[in-house]
Amino acid sequence: MRSPGQLKSSSSELDLDGPNIEDYLPSGSSIQEPLGKLRLRDLLDISPTLTEAAGAIVDDSFTRCFKSNQPEPWNWNIYLFPLWCFGVVFRYFILFPLRVIVLTIGWIIFLSSFIPVHSLLKGHDKLRKKLEVFVANHTSMIDFIILEQMTAFAVIMQKHPGWVGLLQSTILESVGCIWFNRSEAKDREIVARKLRDHVQGTDNNPLLIFPEGTCVNNHYTVMFKKGAFELGCTVCPVAIKYNKIFVDAFWNSRKQSFTMHLLQLMTSWAVVCDVWYLEPQTLRPGETAIEFAERVRDIISVRAGLKKVPWDGYLKYSRPSPKHRERKQQSFAESVLRRLDEK
Amino acid sequence: MLTQYDIEEVQQHCNHAFSQQEIVSLYERFCQLDRNNGGFISAEEFLSVPEFAVNPLSQRLLRMVDGLNFKEFVAFLSAFSPHATLHQKIEFIFKVYDSDGNGKVTFTDMLDVLRDLTGTFISEKQREQVLTDVLDEAGYTKDSLMILSDFVKILGNSGLKIEVEVPVD
Protein backbone atom coordinates (compact mmCIF):
# COMPACT_ATOMS: atom_id res chain seq x y z
CA MET A 1 0.00 0.00 0.00
CA ARG A 2 1.50 3.29 -1.06
CA SER A 3 1.82 5.61 1.90
CA PRO A 4 2.07 9.40 1.72
CA GLY A 5 5.54 9.37 3.21
CA GLN A 6 6.89 12.46 1.52
CA LEU A 7 4.04 14.76 2.45
CA LYS A 8 4.06 16.78 5.62
CA SER A 9 2.12 14.83 8.23
CA SER A 10 -1.23 16.41 8.77
CA SER A 11 -2.59 16.90 12.24
CA SER A 12 -6.00 15.55 11.38
CA GLU A 13 -6.68 12.10 12.72
CA LEU A 14 -9.08 11.30 9.95
CA ASP A 15 -6.28 10.51 7.53
CA LEU A 16 -4.76 7.70 9.52
CA ASP A 17 -7.81 5.60 9.04
CA GLY A 18 -8.04 4.79 5.40
CA PRO A 19 -6.15 4.13 2.20
CA ASN A 20 -5.35 6.94 -0.22
CA ILE A 21 -8.43 8.48 -1.75
CA GLU A 22 -6.41 9.16 -4.86
CA ASP A 23 -6.17 5.43 -5.45
CA TYR A 24 -9.90 5.40 -6.04
CA LEU A 25 -10.86 8.74 -7.51
CA PRO A 26 -10.77 8.70 -11.30
CA SER A 27 -10.33 12.41 -11.92
CA GLY A 28 -7.26 14.58 -11.68
CA SER A 29 -4.49 12.08 -11.48
CA SER A 30 -5.15 10.75 -14.94
CA ILE A 31 -4.53 14.05 -16.77
CA GLN A 32 -2.21 13.49 -19.72
CA GLU A 33 1.09 15.17 -19.15
CA PRO A 34 1.80 17.24 -22.25
CA LEU A 35 5.47 17.51 -22.92
CA GLY A 36 7.22 20.53 -24.22
CA LYS A 37 8.19 23.91 -22.95
CA LEU A 38 5.92 25.65 -20.51
CA ARG A 39 3.87 28.31 -22.20
CA LEU A 40 1.50 30.97 -20.91
CA ARG A 41 -1.51 29.03 -22.02
CA ASP A 42 -0.44 26.06 -19.91
CA LEU A 43 -0.45 28.20 -16.81
CA LEU A 44 -3.67 29.98 -17.64
CA ASP A 45 -5.55 26.84 -18.58
CA ILE A 46 -7.22 25.84 -15.33
CA SER A 47 -9.86 23.75 -17.04
CA PRO A 48 -9.01 20.36 -15.45
CA THR A 49 -9.31 21.77 -11.94
CA LEU A 50 -12.48 23.66 -12.83
CA THR A 51 -14.01 20.56 -14.37
CA GLU A 52 -13.32 18.60 -11.21
CA ALA A 53 -14.89 21.30 -9.06
CA ALA A 54 -17.99 21.61 -11.23
CA GLY A 55 -18.26 17.84 -11.40
CA ALA A 56 -18.28 17.74 -7.62
CA ILE A 57 -20.98 20.41 -7.47
CA VAL A 58 -23.19 18.55 -9.92
CA ASP A 59 -22.81 15.09 -8.42
CA ASP A 60 -20.46 13.55 -5.91
CA SER A 61 -20.04 10.08 -4.55
CA PHE A 62 -20.06 11.14 -0.91
CA THR A 63 -23.44 12.90 -0.78
CA ARG A 64 -24.95 10.00 -2.70
CA CYS A 65 -24.28 7.74 0.28
CA PHE A 66 -26.59 9.72 2.50
CA LYS A 67 -29.44 10.35 0.12
CA SER A 68 -32.72 8.78 1.11
CA ASN A 69 -34.40 7.87 -2.13
CA GLN A 70 -38.11 8.50 -2.13
CA PRO A 71 -40.13 5.49 -3.13
CA GLU A 72 -42.15 5.72 -6.32
CA PRO A 73 -45.71 6.74 -5.51
CA TRP A 74 -48.00 3.86 -6.39
CA ASN A 75 -51.31 5.02 -4.97
CA TRP A 76 -52.18 7.33 -7.78
CA ASN A 77 -55.27 5.82 -9.32
CA ILE A 78 -58.84 5.47 -8.19
CA TYR A 79 -58.56 1.81 -7.22
CA LEU A 80 -55.26 1.96 -5.41
CA PHE A 81 -55.88 5.16 -3.48
CA PRO A 82 -58.72 3.89 -1.24
CA LEU A 83 -56.68 0.75 -0.67
CA TRP A 84 -53.76 2.86 0.43
CA CYS A 85 -56.04 4.91 2.72
CA PHE A 86 -57.27 1.72 4.31
CA GLY A 87 -53.66 0.67 4.73
CA VAL A 88 -52.81 3.94 6.46
CA VAL A 89 -55.70 3.59 8.87
CA PHE A 90 -54.73 0.01 9.62
CA ARG A 91 -51.07 0.84 10.13
CA TYR A 92 -51.56 3.92 12.29
CA PHE A 93 -54.56 2.86 14.36
CA ILE A 94 -54.16 -0.90 14.68
CA LEU A 95 -50.56 -1.96 14.07
CA PHE A 96 -48.94 1.03 15.71
CA PRO A 97 -50.93 0.94 18.98
CA LEU A 98 -50.43 -2.83 19.13
CA ARG A 99 -46.69 -2.38 18.76
CA VAL A 100 -46.62 0.36 21.36
CA ILE A 101 -48.55 -1.83 23.78
CA VAL A 102 -46.20 -4.76 23.22
CA LEU A 103 -43.22 -2.44 23.66
CA THR A 104 -44.64 -0.99 26.88
CA ILE A 105 -45.48 -4.37 28.37
CA GLY A 106 -42.05 -5.58 27.39
CA TRP A 107 -40.47 -2.60 29.14
CA ILE A 108 -42.55 -3.11 32.28
CA ILE A 109 -41.57 -6.76 32.52
CA PHE A 110 -37.96 -5.99 31.76
CA LEU A 111 -37.61 -3.10 34.19
CA SER A 112 -39.36 -4.90 37.01
CA SER A 113 -36.87 -7.74 36.79
CA PHE A 114 -33.86 -5.72 35.68
CA ILE A 115 -33.71 -3.26 38.52
CA PRO A 116 -33.68 -5.76 41.41
CA VAL A 117 -31.57 -8.35 39.57
CA HIS A 118 -29.16 -5.84 38.02
CA SER A 119 -26.31 -6.65 40.31
CA LEU A 120 -26.56 -10.36 39.64
CA LEU A 121 -26.66 -10.14 35.81
CA LYS A 122 -23.72 -11.56 33.92
CA GLY A 123 -23.23 -12.22 30.21
CA HIS A 124 -24.17 -15.65 28.84
CA ASP A 125 -21.22 -17.68 27.68
CA LYS A 126 -22.96 -20.28 25.55
CA LEU A 127 -22.02 -19.13 22.05
CA ARG A 128 -19.07 -16.96 22.77
CA LYS A 129 -15.57 -17.81 21.72
CA LYS A 130 -12.72 -15.70 22.94
CA LEU A 131 -10.98 -13.01 20.94
CA GLU A 132 -13.70 -12.41 18.40
CA VAL A 133 -15.40 -9.22 17.24
CA PHE A 134 -18.30 -8.77 14.86
CA VAL A 135 -18.38 -6.03 12.27
CA ALA A 136 -21.33 -4.99 10.16
CA ASN A 137 -22.38 -2.27 7.75
CA HIS A 138 -24.51 0.43 9.34
CA THR A 139 -27.83 1.80 8.16
CA SER A 140 -29.78 2.67 11.27
CA MET A 141 -29.66 2.19 15.02
CA ILE A 142 -32.07 -0.71 14.63
CA ASP A 143 -29.21 -2.74 13.11
CA PHE A 144 -28.24 -3.45 16.69
CA ILE A 145 -31.73 -4.72 17.57
CA ILE A 146 -31.76 -7.02 14.57
CA LEU A 147 -28.40 -8.53 15.41
CA GLU A 148 -29.31 -8.87 19.08
CA GLN A 149 -31.56 -11.71 18.02
CA MET A 150 -28.48 -13.82 17.52
CA THR A 151 -26.73 -13.16 20.80
CA ALA A 152 -26.39 -10.41 23.37
CA PHE A 153 -23.85 -8.08 21.83
CA ALA A 154 -21.92 -5.32 23.44
CA VAL A 155 -22.00 -2.56 20.88
CA ILE A 156 -19.92 0.54 20.55
CA MET A 157 -21.92 3.61 19.69
CA GLN A 158 -21.99 7.39 19.66
CA LYS A 159 -23.29 8.88 22.86
CA HIS A 160 -26.60 10.51 22.00
CA PRO A 161 -28.56 13.21 23.75
CA GLY A 162 -32.15 12.84 24.90
CA TRP A 163 -33.99 9.66 25.80
CA VAL A 164 -31.64 7.54 23.73
CA GLY A 165 -28.73 8.74 25.85
CA LEU A 166 -30.64 7.79 28.97
CA LEU A 167 -31.20 4.33 27.56
CA GLN A 168 -27.53 4.08 26.79
CA SER A 169 -26.33 5.02 30.24
CA THR A 170 -28.68 2.73 32.09
CA ILE A 171 -29.61 -0.45 30.32
CA LEU A 172 -27.13 -0.75 27.49
CA GLU A 173 -24.25 -0.18 29.86
CA SER A 174 -25.14 -3.39 31.65
CA VAL A 175 -24.67 -5.34 28.44
CA GLY A 176 -21.18 -3.91 28.25
CA CYS A 177 -21.67 -1.18 25.65
CA ILE A 178 -18.95 1.32 25.01
CA TRP A 179 -19.46 5.00 24.14
CA PHE A 180 -17.49 7.32 22.00
CA ASN A 181 -17.86 10.94 21.13
CA ARG A 182 -17.02 11.94 17.59
CA SER A 183 -16.49 15.56 18.54
CA GLU A 184 -13.78 14.90 21.08
CA ALA A 185 -10.28 14.86 19.69
CA LYS A 186 -8.57 12.63 22.25
CA ASP A 187 -11.50 10.26 22.24
CA ARG A 188 -9.91 7.83 19.80
CA GLU A 189 -7.20 6.61 22.11
CA ILE A 190 -9.58 6.21 25.01
CA VAL A 191 -11.96 4.22 22.88
CA ALA A 192 -9.19 2.07 21.41
CA ARG A 193 -8.13 1.20 24.94
CA LYS A 194 -11.70 0.43 26.01
CA LEU A 195 -12.10 -1.85 22.99
CA ARG A 196 -8.94 -3.72 23.78
CA ASP A 197 -9.91 -4.13 27.44
CA HIS A 198 -13.32 -5.42 26.50
CA VAL A 199 -12.01 -8.00 24.07
CA GLN A 200 -9.40 -9.26 26.50
CA GLY A 201 -11.90 -9.49 29.33
CA THR A 202 -13.30 -12.99 29.84
CA ASP A 203 -16.79 -12.24 31.00
CA ASN A 204 -17.79 -9.74 28.38
CA ASN A 205 -20.36 -10.12 25.65
CA PRO A 206 -19.02 -10.33 22.10
CA LEU A 207 -18.29 -6.94 20.72
CA LEU A 208 -20.22 -5.56 17.77
CA ILE A 209 -18.63 -2.74 15.85
CA PHE A 210 -19.92 -0.69 12.93
CA PRO A 211 -16.65 0.39 11.36
CA GLU A 212 -18.28 2.91 9.03
CA GLY A 213 -18.83 5.14 12.04
CA THR A 214 -22.08 6.60 10.74
CA CYS A 215 -25.38 5.55 9.16
CA VAL A 216 -25.20 5.09 5.39
CA ASN A 217 -28.17 4.66 3.09
CA ASN A 218 -27.74 0.90 2.47
CA HIS A 219 -26.76 1.32 -1.19
CA TYR A 220 -23.14 2.21 -0.51
CA THR A 221 -20.44 1.55 2.04
CA VAL A 222 -18.04 4.21 3.21
CA MET A 223 -14.53 3.44 4.37
CA PHE A 224 -14.14 1.26 7.42
CA LYS A 225 -12.23 2.65 10.37
CA LYS A 226 -9.30 0.50 11.24
CA GLY A 227 -9.97 0.45 15.02
CA ALA A 228 -11.85 -2.84 14.95
CA PHE A 229 -9.16 -4.48 12.85
CA GLU A 230 -6.13 -3.89 14.99
CA LEU A 231 -7.38 -5.61 18.15
CA GLY A 232 -5.55 -8.77 17.28
CA CYS A 233 -8.62 -10.98 17.09
CA THR A 234 -10.77 -12.72 14.53
CA VAL A 235 -13.23 -10.50 12.76
CA CYS A 236 -16.63 -11.94 11.88
CA PRO A 237 -18.22 -9.89 9.10
CA VAL A 238 -21.99 -9.47 9.09
CA ALA A 239 -23.75 -8.04 6.05
CA ILE A 240 -27.17 -6.39 6.43
CA LYS A 241 -29.33 -5.44 3.49
CA TYR A 242 -32.75 -3.91 4.00
CA ASN A 243 -35.58 -4.41 1.57
CA LYS A 244 -37.29 -1.08 0.98
CA ILE A 245 -40.58 -2.63 -0.03
CA PHE A 246 -42.51 -1.30 2.96
CA VAL A 247 -40.24 1.24 4.54
CA ASP A 248 -36.76 2.64 4.05
CA ALA A 249 -34.85 1.72 7.16
CA PHE A 250 -32.05 4.25 6.54
CA TRP A 251 -31.90 6.73 9.38
CA ASN A 252 -31.05 10.00 7.67
CA SER A 253 -29.75 11.76 10.75
CA ARG A 254 -29.44 15.00 8.80
CA LYS A 255 -33.15 15.02 8.06
CA GLN A 256 -34.91 13.46 11.03
CA SER A 257 -34.42 12.68 14.69
CA PHE A 258 -34.29 9.12 15.91
CA THR A 259 -37.75 9.45 17.46
CA MET A 260 -39.32 10.41 14.13
CA HIS A 261 -37.41 7.62 12.44
CA LEU A 262 -38.67 5.10 15.00
CA LEU A 263 -42.23 6.33 14.56
CA GLN A 264 -41.90 5.94 10.82
CA LEU A 265 -40.72 2.37 11.27
CA MET A 266 -43.42 1.48 13.77
CA THR A 267 -46.24 2.75 11.58
CA SER A 268 -45.10 0.81 8.54
CA TRP A 269 -46.20 -2.68 7.61
CA ALA A 270 -42.89 -4.34 8.31
CA VAL A 271 -39.14 -3.92 8.24
CA VAL A 272 -37.71 -6.53 5.93
CA CYS A 273 -34.02 -7.29 5.86
CA ASP A 274 -31.50 -9.93 4.98
CA VAL A 275 -28.64 -10.68 7.34
CA TRP A 276 -25.65 -12.73 6.28
CA TYR A 277 -23.15 -14.02 8.81
CA LEU A 278 -19.97 -14.40 6.82
CA GLU A 279 -16.81 -16.41 7.27
CA PRO A 280 -14.56 -15.11 10.07
CA GLN A 281 -11.44 -13.35 8.83
CA THR A 282 -8.04 -12.86 10.40
CA LEU A 283 -5.21 -10.51 9.63
CA ARG A 284 -3.07 -11.99 6.88
CA PRO A 285 0.73 -11.91 7.25
CA GLY A 286 2.08 -8.67 5.85
CA GLU A 287 -1.33 -7.03 5.76
CA THR A 288 -1.85 -3.72 7.52
CA ALA A 289 -4.94 -2.98 9.59
CA ILE A 290 -6.18 -0.64 6.87
CA GLU A 291 -5.81 -3.28 4.16
CA PHE A 292 -7.56 -5.78 6.40
CA ALA A 293 -10.42 -3.33 6.95
CA GLU A 294 -10.77 -2.76 3.21
CA ARG A 295 -10.75 -6.48 2.53
CA VAL A 296 -13.56 -7.09 5.01
CA ARG A 297 -15.47 -4.12 3.59
CA ASP A 298 -15.15 -5.70 0.20
CA ILE A 299 -16.53 -9.00 1.49
CA ILE A 300 -19.51 -7.32 3.15
CA SER A 301 -20.23 -5.03 0.18
CA VAL A 302 -20.19 -7.86 -2.32
CA ARG A 303 -22.51 -9.99 -0.21
CA ALA A 304 -25.06 -7.27 0.43
CA GLY A 305 -24.84 -5.75 -3.04
CA LEU A 306 -23.51 -2.39 -1.88
CA LYS A 307 -21.19 -0.11 -3.84
CA LYS A 308 -17.94 0.95 -2.24
CA VAL A 309 -17.09 4.61 -1.91
CA PRO A 310 -13.63 5.93 -0.95
CA TRP A 311 -14.77 8.44 1.63
CA ASP A 312 -14.51 8.57 5.40
CA GLY A 313 -17.98 8.60 6.97
CA TYR A 314 -16.89 11.27 9.42
CA LEU A 315 -16.74 13.77 6.56
CA LYS A 316 -20.45 14.11 7.31
CA TYR A 317 -19.43 16.04 10.40
CA SER A 318 -16.14 17.67 9.47
CA ARG A 319 -14.07 18.94 6.56
CA PRO A 320 -11.56 16.83 4.67
CA SER A 321 -8.00 17.35 5.74
CA PRO A 322 -5.85 19.78 3.75
CA LYS A 323 -3.60 16.87 2.85
CA HIS A 324 -5.71 15.97 -0.18
CA ARG A 325 -5.65 19.46 -1.59
CA GLU A 326 -1.91 19.62 -0.92
CA ARG A 327 -1.40 16.45 -2.90
CA LYS A 328 -3.11 17.98 -5.93
CA GLN A 329 -1.08 21.16 -5.52
CA GLN A 330 2.11 19.20 -5.27
CA SER A 331 1.42 17.22 -8.42
CA PHE A 332 0.64 20.38 -10.42
CA ALA A 333 3.68 22.17 -9.01
CA GLU A 334 5.93 19.28 -9.95
CA SER A 335 4.63 19.19 -13.50
CA VAL A 336 5.21 22.94 -13.88
CA LEU A 337 8.76 22.68 -12.57
CA ARG A 338 9.49 19.70 -14.75
CA ARG A 339 8.35 21.49 -17.87
CA LEU A 340 10.43 24.54 -17.04
CA ASP A 341 13.50 22.50 -17.79
CA GLU A 342 12.17 21.26 -21.11
CA LYS A 343 13.59 22.93 -24.18
CA MET B 1 -41.50 22.68 -6.40
CA LEU B 2 -40.47 23.24 -9.97
CA THR B 3 -43.25 24.00 -12.42
CA GLN B 4 -43.01 23.65 -16.18
CA TYR B 5 -42.97 27.43 -16.39
CA ASP B 6 -40.01 27.61 -14.01
CA ILE B 7 -38.11 25.02 -16.03
CA GLU B 8 -38.61 26.98 -19.23
CA GLU B 9 -37.62 30.23 -17.56
CA VAL B 10 -34.41 28.70 -16.24
CA GLN B 11 -33.68 27.18 -19.61
CA GLN B 12 -34.14 30.56 -21.23
CA HIS B 13 -31.86 32.21 -18.68
CA CYS B 14 -29.00 29.81 -19.34
CA ASN B 15 -29.41 30.04 -23.11
CA HIS B 16 -30.54 26.46 -23.48
CA ALA B 17 -27.27 25.10 -22.17
CA PHE B 18 -29.14 22.29 -20.46
CA SER B 19 -32.08 20.15 -21.45
CA GLN B 20 -35.27 20.17 -19.40
CA GLN B 21 -34.48 16.82 -17.77
CA GLU B 22 -31.04 18.10 -16.85
CA ILE B 23 -32.60 21.17 -15.24
CA VAL B 24 -34.92 18.95 -13.19
CA SER B 25 -31.91 16.87 -12.12
CA LEU B 26 -29.98 20.01 -11.23
CA TYR B 27 -32.92 21.19 -9.17
CA GLU B 28 -32.93 17.95 -7.21
CA ARG B 29 -29.23 18.39 -6.63
CA PHE B 30 -29.71 22.02 -5.62
CA CYS B 31 -32.33 21.01 -3.04
CA GLN B 32 -30.11 18.24 -1.78
CA LEU B 33 -27.23 20.65 -1.17
CA ASP B 34 -29.44 23.41 0.20
CA ARG B 35 -30.09 21.61 3.43
CA ASN B 36 -31.67 24.44 5.37
CA ASN B 37 -34.00 25.29 2.48
CA GLY B 38 -32.85 28.88 2.30
CA GLY B 39 -33.35 29.05 -1.47
CA PHE B 40 -29.61 29.28 -2.03
CA ILE B 41 -26.60 27.12 -1.27
CA SER B 42 -24.32 28.68 1.31
CA ALA B 43 -20.52 28.32 1.32
CA GLU B 44 -20.78 25.89 4.24
CA GLU B 45 -23.13 23.68 2.29
CA PHE B 46 -20.81 23.64 -0.73
CA LEU B 47 -17.86 22.78 1.45
CA SER B 48 -19.76 19.82 2.88
CA VAL B 49 -19.10 18.09 -0.45
CA PRO B 50 -15.64 16.68 0.22
CA GLU B 51 -14.72 16.41 -3.45
CA PHE B 52 -15.35 20.15 -3.78
CA ALA B 53 -13.63 21.08 -0.52
CA VAL B 54 -10.35 19.45 -1.57
CA ASN B 55 -10.27 21.32 -4.88
CA PRO B 56 -7.51 23.98 -4.94
CA LEU B 57 -9.80 26.53 -6.57
CA SER B 58 -12.70 25.98 -4.21
CA GLN B 59 -12.39 29.35 -2.45
CA ARG B 60 -12.34 31.25 -5.74
CA LEU B 61 -15.33 29.39 -7.04
CA LEU B 62 -17.16 29.88 -3.76
CA ARG B 63 -16.91 33.62 -4.21
CA MET B 64 -18.65 33.24 -7.55
CA VAL B 65 -21.30 30.75 -6.54
CA ASP B 66 -22.12 31.53 -2.92
CA GLY B 67 -25.69 32.66 -2.38
CA LEU B 68 -26.92 32.13 -5.93
CA ASN B 69 -30.53 31.14 -6.38
CA PHE B 70 -31.38 28.21 -8.60
CA LYS B 71 -31.71 30.18 -11.82
CA GLU B 72 -28.32 31.83 -11.32
CA PHE B 73 -26.83 28.50 -10.23
CA VAL B 74 -27.79 26.92 -13.54
CA ALA B 75 -26.44 29.95 -15.41
CA PHE B 76 -23.18 29.57 -13.51
CA LEU B 77 -22.91 25.94 -14.55
CA SER B 78 -23.84 26.66 -18.15
CA ALA B 79 -20.19 27.13 -19.10
CA PHE B 80 -19.74 23.44 -18.32
CA SER B 81 -22.44 22.23 -20.63
CA PRO B 82 -21.34 20.39 -23.76
CA HIS B 83 -23.44 22.91 -25.70
CA ALA B 84 -21.49 25.89 -24.44
CA THR B 85 -19.26 27.59 -26.98
CA LEU B 86 -15.51 27.83 -26.60
CA HIS B 87 -15.90 31.56 -26.12
CA GLN B 88 -18.27 31.02 -23.17
CA LYS B 89 -15.81 28.64 -21.57
CA ILE B 90 -12.93 31.05 -21.95
CA GLU B 91 -15.12 33.81 -20.56
CA PHE B 92 -15.77 31.64 -17.50
CA ILE B 93 -12.07 31.09 -16.96
CA PHE B 94 -11.51 34.82 -17.32
CA LYS B 95 -14.11 35.49 -14.63
CA VAL B 96 -12.36 33.07 -12.27
CA TYR B 97 -9.15 35.06 -12.67
CA ASP B 98 -10.78 38.46 -12.55
CA SER B 99 -11.74 38.37 -8.89
CA ASP B 100 -12.64 42.05 -8.61
CA GLY B 101 -14.81 41.85 -11.71
CA ASN B 102 -13.42 44.93 -13.43
CA GLY B 103 -12.82 43.18 -16.74
CA LYS B 104 -9.04 43.21 -16.38
CA VAL B 105 -6.72 40.46 -15.20
CA THR B 106 -3.48 41.65 -13.64
CA PHE B 107 -0.19 39.94 -12.89
CA THR B 108 -1.32 39.66 -9.26
CA ASP B 109 -4.55 37.94 -10.27
CA MET B 110 -2.63 35.34 -12.26
CA LEU B 111 -0.14 34.93 -9.46
CA ASP B 112 -2.99 34.36 -6.98
CA VAL B 113 -4.49 31.58 -9.06
CA LEU B 114 -1.09 30.00 -9.56
CA ARG B 115 -0.59 30.11 -5.81
CA ASP B 116 -3.93 28.39 -5.24
CA LEU B 117 -2.91 25.67 -7.66
CA THR B 118 0.61 25.05 -6.42
CA GLY B 119 0.41 25.86 -2.72
CA THR B 120 3.65 25.68 -0.81
CA PHE B 121 5.35 23.41 -3.32
CA ILE B 122 6.83 26.27 -5.31
CA SER B 123 8.43 29.24 -3.58
CA GLU B 124 6.85 32.64 -4.11
CA LYS B 125 9.92 33.92 -5.88
CA GLN B 126 10.00 30.97 -8.23
CA ARG B 127 6.31 31.44 -8.98
CA GLU B 128 6.81 35.06 -9.92
CA GLN B 129 9.79 34.12 -12.05
CA VAL B 130 7.90 31.41 -13.93
CA LEU B 131 4.95 33.69 -14.57
CA THR B 132 7.14 36.57 -15.71
CA ASP B 133 9.04 34.27 -18.05
CA VAL B 134 6.01 32.78 -19.77
CA LEU B 135 4.35 36.20 -20.04
CA ASP B 136 7.52 37.52 -21.60
CA GLU B 137 7.62 34.73 -24.11
CA ALA B 138 3.99 35.39 -25.10
CA GLY B 139 4.70 39.08 -25.60
CA TYR B 140 3.27 40.50 -22.38
CA THR B 141 4.91 42.20 -19.44
CA LYS B 142 4.41 42.14 -15.72
CA ASP B 143 2.35 45.29 -15.93
CA SER B 144 0.10 44.14 -18.74
CA LEU B 145 -3.59 44.23 -18.03
CA MET B 146 -5.22 41.33 -19.82
CA ILE B 147 -8.70 41.58 -21.11
CA LEU B 148 -11.05 38.89 -22.39
CA SER B 149 -9.81 39.05 -25.97
CA ASP B 150 -6.26 38.40 -24.74
CA PHE B 151 -7.47 35.24 -23.06
CA VAL B 152 -9.31 34.23 -26.20
CA LYS B 153 -6.11 34.68 -28.18
CA ILE B 154 -4.03 32.66 -25.73
CA LEU B 155 -6.46 29.86 -25.01
CA GLY B 156 -8.30 29.95 -28.32
CA ASN B 157 -7.03 26.94 -30.18
CA SER B 158 -5.88 24.86 -27.29
CA GLY B 159 -8.60 22.23 -27.30
CA LEU B 160 -9.96 23.44 -23.98
CA LYS B 161 -12.18 20.92 -22.34
CA ILE B 162 -14.54 21.94 -19.57
CA GLU B 163 -17.53 19.68 -19.44
CA VAL B 164 -19.57 18.03 -16.77
CA GLU B 165 -22.30 15.53 -17.26
CA VAL B 166 -25.51 16.09 -15.38
CA PRO B 167 -26.82 12.71 -14.25
CA VAL B 168 -30.38 12.22 -15.48
CA ASP B 169 -32.33 9.34 -13.94
Side-chain angles (χ1 to χ4, degrees), chain B residues 5 11 15 30 34 63 70 75 110 141:
Chain B
Y5 177 74
Q11 202 178 25
N15 289 323
F30 187 85
D34 177 18
R63 245 177 283 149
F70 179 61
M110 288 188 272
T141 70

Side-chain angles (χ1 to χ4, degrees), chain A residues 209-224:
Chain A
I209 302 177
F210 296 106
E212 287 173 306
T214 188
C215 290
V216 186
N217 74 355
N218 210 227
H219 288 286
Y220 298 92
T221 49
V222 296
M223 296 215 292
F224 276 11

Side-chain angles (χ1 to χ4, degrees), chain A residues 8 39-40 43-45 47 49 51 53-58 60 62 67 311 319 325-326 329 332 337 340, chain B residues 29 32 44 47 49-50 53-55 61 80 97 116-121 126 130 137 154 160 162-164:
Chain A
K8 295 191 283 263
R39 312 206 100 90
L40 181 59
L43 280 190
L44 285 185
D45 183 4
S47 51
T49 316
T51 312
I57 294 179
V58 162
D60 76 293
F62 183 72
K67 190 167 158 209
W311 299 102
R319 288 290 143 68
R325 185 183 312 165
E326 283 168 9
Q329 289 174 329
F332 183 73
L337 290 175
L340 266 187
Chain B
R29 175 69 175 174
Q32 188 186 38
E44 273 298 306
L47 289 173
V49 177
V54 303
N55 191 290
L61 287 171
F80 296 91
Y97 275 92
D116 285 340
L117 288 175
T118 53
T120 53
F121 298 94
Q126 209 170 10
V130 169
E137 196 224 356
I154 299 166
L160 207 71
I162 317 185
E163 254 170 50
V164 290

Side-chain angles (χ1 to χ4, degrees), chain A residues 20-284:
Chain A
N20 295 336
I21 289 184
E22 269 67 23
D23 293 341
Y24 289 84
L25 286 181
S27 55
S29 36
S30 58
I31 298 172
Q32 304 289 46
E33 274 248 359
L35 297 169
K37 198 161 176 314
L38 193 69
R39 312 206 100 90
L40 181 59
R41 61 165 235 36
D42 300 313
L43 280 190
L44 285 185
D45 183 4
I46 47 174
S47 51
T49 316
L50 286 183
T51 312
E52 270 177 44
I57 294 179
V58 162
D59 187 24
D60 76 293
S61 51
F62 183 72
T63 320
R64 253 186 267 149
C65 293
F66 305 102
K67 190 167 158 209
S68 10
N69 300 309
Q70 299 295 353
E72 291 291 320
W74 57 269
N75 58 352
W76 43 265
N77 73 21
I78 197 161
Y79 304 106
L80 295 175
F81 190 68
L83 210 62
W84 176 76
C85 286
F86 170 72
V88 168
V89 166
F90 188 79
R91 282 188 287 126
Y92 277 79
F93 296 108
I94 302 181
L95 278 186
F96 179 60
L98 267 175
R99 286 168 178 162
V100 170
I101 291 172
V102 168
L103 186 65
T104 320
I105 296 178
W107 271 110
I108 294 174
I109 298 176
F110 175 71
L111 284 173
S112 54
S113 31
F114 174 77
I115 293 170
V117 184
H118 175 63
S119 50
L120 302 173
L121 267 183
K122 289 237 186 293
H124 290 285
D125 279 346
K126 279 183 290 203
L127 289 174
R128 207 181 53 84
K129 286 178 276 201
K130 294 232 180 92
L131 290 185
E132 200 174 53
V133 289
F134 288 79
V135 303
N137 58 312
H138 199 25
T139 305
S140 162
M141 289 223 270
I142 62 170
D143 290 340
F144 171 52
I145 300 174
I146 289 166
L147 293 181
E148 278 288 289
Q149 297 179 41
M150 174 187 165
T151 176
F153 282 111
V155 76
I156 164 170
M157 51 194 289
Q158 163 81 31
K159 193 72 159 65
H160 282 86
W163 63 271
V164 181
L166 185 63
L167 216 74
Q168 288 179 307
S169 2
T170 48
I171 293 140
L172 292 181
E173 187 132 327
S174 64
V175 197
C177 290
I178 301 174
W179 324 123
F180 66 85
N181 211 330
R182 273 180 210 122
S183 34
E184 256 164 64
K186 281 293 156 201
D187 197 57
R188 280 223 309 33
E189 284 119 51
I190 304 172
V191 168
R193 202 179 5 100
K194 282 193 201 165
L195 283 180
R196 219 166 294 132
D197 291 341
H198 184 105
V199 169
Q200 310 290 356
T202 47
D203 269 334
N204 293 322
N205 286 327
L207 195 56
L208 172 63
I209 302 177
F210 296 106
E212 287 173 306
T214 188
C215 290
V216 186
N217 74 355
N218 210 227
H219 288 286
Y220 298 92
T221 49
V222 296
M223 296 215 292
F224 276 11
K225 300 203 171 307
K226 63 178 181 179
F229 300 91
E230 42 184 22
L231 297 169
C233 39
T234 332
V235 169
C236 304
V238 182
I240 309 178
K241 177 75 174 161
Y242 288 90
N243 189 326
K244 295 206 289 193
I245 183 172
F246 293 124
V247 71
D248 184 356
F250 167 50
W251 175 36
N252 194 341
S253 52
R254 283 168 166 174
K255 285 230 147 84
Q256 55 183 184
S257 68
F258 185 63
T259 317
M260 284 314 298
H261 171 66
L262 204 60
L263 275 172
Q264 193 186 359
L265 290 180
M266 287 184 75
T267 54
S268 67
W269 288 109
V271 173
V272 183
C273 74
D274 287 312
V275 181
W276 292 275
Y277 293 93
L278 304 167
E279 207 183 294
Q281 303 288 329
T282 44
L283 189 70
R284 290 201 188 132

